[in-house]
Amino acid sequence: GCSIPVADDPDAVVIPKRTPNAIVKNLSYITVDKRDKDSPPLFGGRQTWKQREESFKLNATMKVHCGFMKNSGADMDAVDVEYIQKCKFVVASGIFDGYDAPHQPSNISLRSQKLFCFLMVVDEVSFDFIEQNVTVKVDSAGGKWVGIWRLVTLHRPPFDEPRRNGKVPKILTHRLFPQAWYSIWIDGKMELMVDPLLILERYLWRGKYTFAVAVHKHHRSIYEEGDAIKRRKRYARPLVDLQMKIYYHEGMEPWDETKRMPSDIPEGAVLIREHTTITDLFSCLWFNEVNLFTPRDQLSFGYVAHRLGDALKFFMFPNCEYNSLFILHRHTREHSSKVEWAKTIDEILKKGLKESRGGLGLWTPYPADLSSVELPAVKRTSQAS
């Protein structure tokens, strides 16, 4: 890491007025699709290619898909729905598919302990694992706690892939915790080492940003990242290629020094946001891409940023600072599903590896011929981390 220029004293931080909504004034969400009566609702909905295209066009009033379709899962217990009403400042994290226990953050001031809700979103499998391995305290209202973390269990997982289920609290933080003004998302494997107020001051308020994320350690271009994902077998190769071809066809150029972002690839483990309408819109559109295509969210981040142009100003901070904010604990186990290893479309179909509730855009005919699209060549400059 490198030292981060945070202020010294959380008690001295002045919380500014909220950022006014400039371009998009009203944002609402599609929660019911015109769809066959006999098919169960999908969490991400059934967005058409036309709806997807329209969702990138900025207007004062917008209505978009944003997960949480009616009766599609990811349900919270009533006691947690009640608790989060008061959560305007949120540190959120998540553990899915078991095998991790929450890491307690260090250096949290008394002021931040009172100001922030520390919300650990878990599925039922993870909750059972946590309960067996660490002490879970139950308060008088029935809320469950591990140290500073309030456990929030999501019932009825919306996707078949644990990796996809984990994207719900991470990207759609504003949908899960709609009262939040500010949120800091950290992956479940991270231990927070810096007071959250100091993080908001350094990464949002000081430079007047509403979205901050670290740049990726090695890659700048989505095409490099796609190449690395295929080499590390993090998702089926032909499906990664298809997503890249669609993005290239739609005008997403490889990253170079002339782009306004220092990188098209974020270090995905930390997201720092003020929940303005434009930030929330970005999160919805980002989730829609992850829902439609592969669950590798680093591929679609830069694409959505590219589509929104100057409407949302990101603070992409140096990766070395990111290493000073957290201690990284290895996952007890990397969850992997069989589809990640598949080398051909044929293999996916023959072995029945196709996901039934996510990635459906990869199986829906695209409204243009992609057969002649040649992906930009990738120079393999650095080791895949």
Side-chain angles (χ1 to χ4, degrees):
C2 53
S3 67
I4 16 177
V6 291
D8 297 329
D9 180 11
D11 292 331
V13 172
V14 178
I15 298 172
K17 282 200 170 74
R18 302 276 317 277
T19 304
N21 291 318
I23 303 167
V24 183
K25 304 284 189 190
N26 301 298
L27 178 62
S28 59
Y29 310 115
I30 296 166
T31 55
V32 177
D33 272 327
K34 296 190 189 73
R35 53 156 229 284
D36 324 333
K37 291 180 294 296
D38 39 47
S39 51
L42 292 168
F43 182 81
R46 291 176 166 81
Q47 188 190 36
T48 64
W49 294 113
K50 192 167 176 295
Q51 282 176 319
R52 172 176 176 264
E53 195 47 46
E54 287 300 309
S55 72
F56 290 113
K57 294 174 185 159
L58 297 178
N59 287 297
T61 297
M62 295 184 68
K63 188 170 191 178
V64 298
H65 283 87
C66 199
F68 293 92
M69 300 300 280
K70 210 175 160 183
N71 303 323
S72 65
D75 307 319
M76 240 188 267
D77 291 318
V79 61
D80 296 325
V81 173
E82 179 65 29
Y83 176 80
I84 63 167
Q85 297 309 311
K86 69 177 185 66
C87 298
K88 290 187 171 64
F89 290 76
V90 169
V91 174
S93 187
I95 296 174
F96 284 76
D97 206 25
Y99 307 96
D100 273 321
H103 302 288
Q104 296 304 319
S106 319
N107 309 312
I108 309 295
S109 65
L110 211 55
R111 183 183 183 193
S112 287
Q113 286 174 38
K114 291 194 181 111
L115 184 64
F116 283 81
C117 294
F118 290 79
L119 304 170
M120 178 64 72
V121 184
V122 298
D123 56 9
E124 291 171 356
V125 182
S126 304
F127 178 78
D128 294 341
F129 177 85
I130 291 166
E131 211 175 27
Q132 284 155 22
N133 288 277
V134 297
T135 306
V136 176
K137 292 203 165 76
V138 182
D139 64 26
S140 56
K144 302 181 174 75
W145 300 80
V146 173
I148 202 170
W149 292 106
R150 167 74 176 227
L151 297 181
V152 175
T153 305
L154 293 189
H155 304 279
R156 293 204 302 147
F159 298 105
D160 315 325
E161 285 253 301
R163 215 188 271 299
R164 280 193 196 274
N165 289 322
K167 303 302 172 191
V168 175
K170 172 182 177 173
I171 300 179
L172 297 183
T173 316
H174 73 286
R175 298 281 278 133
L176 211 49
F177 310 128
Q179 313 303 329
W181 291 351
Y182 298 96
S183 69
I184 299 169
W185 166 268
I186 59 173
D187 276 2
K189 61 186 180 209
M190 321 289 288
E191 178 185 329
L192 181 61
M193 297 302 292
V194 175
D195 187 275
L197 254 186
L198 295 181
I199 291 179
L200 293 182
E201 191 282 324
R202 158 72 182 115
Y203 295 104
L204 298 183
W205 300 332
R206 197 182 298 180
K208 298 195 166 28
Y209 292 98
T210 62
F211 201 130
V213 61
V215 297
H216 192 277
K217 195 160 57 236
H218 300 303
H219 304 134
R220 295 280 176 270
S221 158
I222 66 167
Y223 303 105
E224 290 175 342
E225 178 68 14
D227 183 66
I229 286 168
K230 288 191 296 180
R231 278 186 291 152
R232 296 196 307 258
K233 301 186 176 59
R234 289 290 170 81
Y235 203 72
R237 288 176 203 176
L239 300 182
V240 172
D241 274 343
L242 178 57
Q243 182 173 3
M244 298 291 93
K245 280 182 176 173
I246 288 172
Y247 286 174
Y248 194 52
H249 171 78
E250 291 176 346
M252 180 71 182
E253 291 295 327
W255 184 87
D256 66 32
E257 275 74 12
T258 62
K259 287 201 177 191
R260 57 191 180 84
M261 308 257 280
S263 169
D264 284 332
I265 308 287
E267 187 65 72
V270 182
L271 304 171
I272 306 164
R273 287 171 287 191
E274 177 184 0
H275 292 289
T276 59
T277 49
I278 194 78
T279 302
D280 290 347
L281 175 68
F282 178 92
S283 301
C284 293
L285 300 182
W286 185 18
F287 181 82
N288 291 344
E289 295 296 294
V290 170
N291 175 64
L292 203 57
F293 301 121
T294 72
R296 308 307 307 190
D297 60 25
Q298 287 160 311
L299 293 178
S300 42
F301 177 91
Y303 174 78
V304 177
H306 156 72
R307 292 298 305 262
L308 292 189
D310 293 326
L312 179 54
K313 208 168 62 132
F314 294 89
F315 181 19
M316 291 191 81
F317 55 90
N319 188 276
C320 63
E321 291 193 24
Y322 156 86
N323 290 322
S324 306
L325 293 170
F326 307 94
I327 294 176
L328 179 63
H329 296 269
R330 286 278 155 244
H331 282 306
T332 328
R333 187 191 70 137
E334 280 290 342
H335 47 227
S336 160
S337 62
K338 302 237 174 25
V339 71
E340 296 181 7
W341 297 81
K343 290 188 181 67
T344 64
I345 295 280
D346 204 41
E347 182 188 353
I348 294 168
L349 293 173
K350 277 209 174 95
K351 293 185 180 165
L353 302 178
K354 192 173 139 184
E355 293 184 64
S356 64
R357 296 186 289 172
L360 302 187
L362 298 164
W363 305 95
T364 311
Y366 184 74
D369 181 13
L370 300 168
S371 60
S372 62
V373 176
E374 287 287 322
L375 286 178
V378 169
K379 288 195 278 295
R380 292 181 177 172
T381 46
S382 65
Q383 74 282 27
S385 60

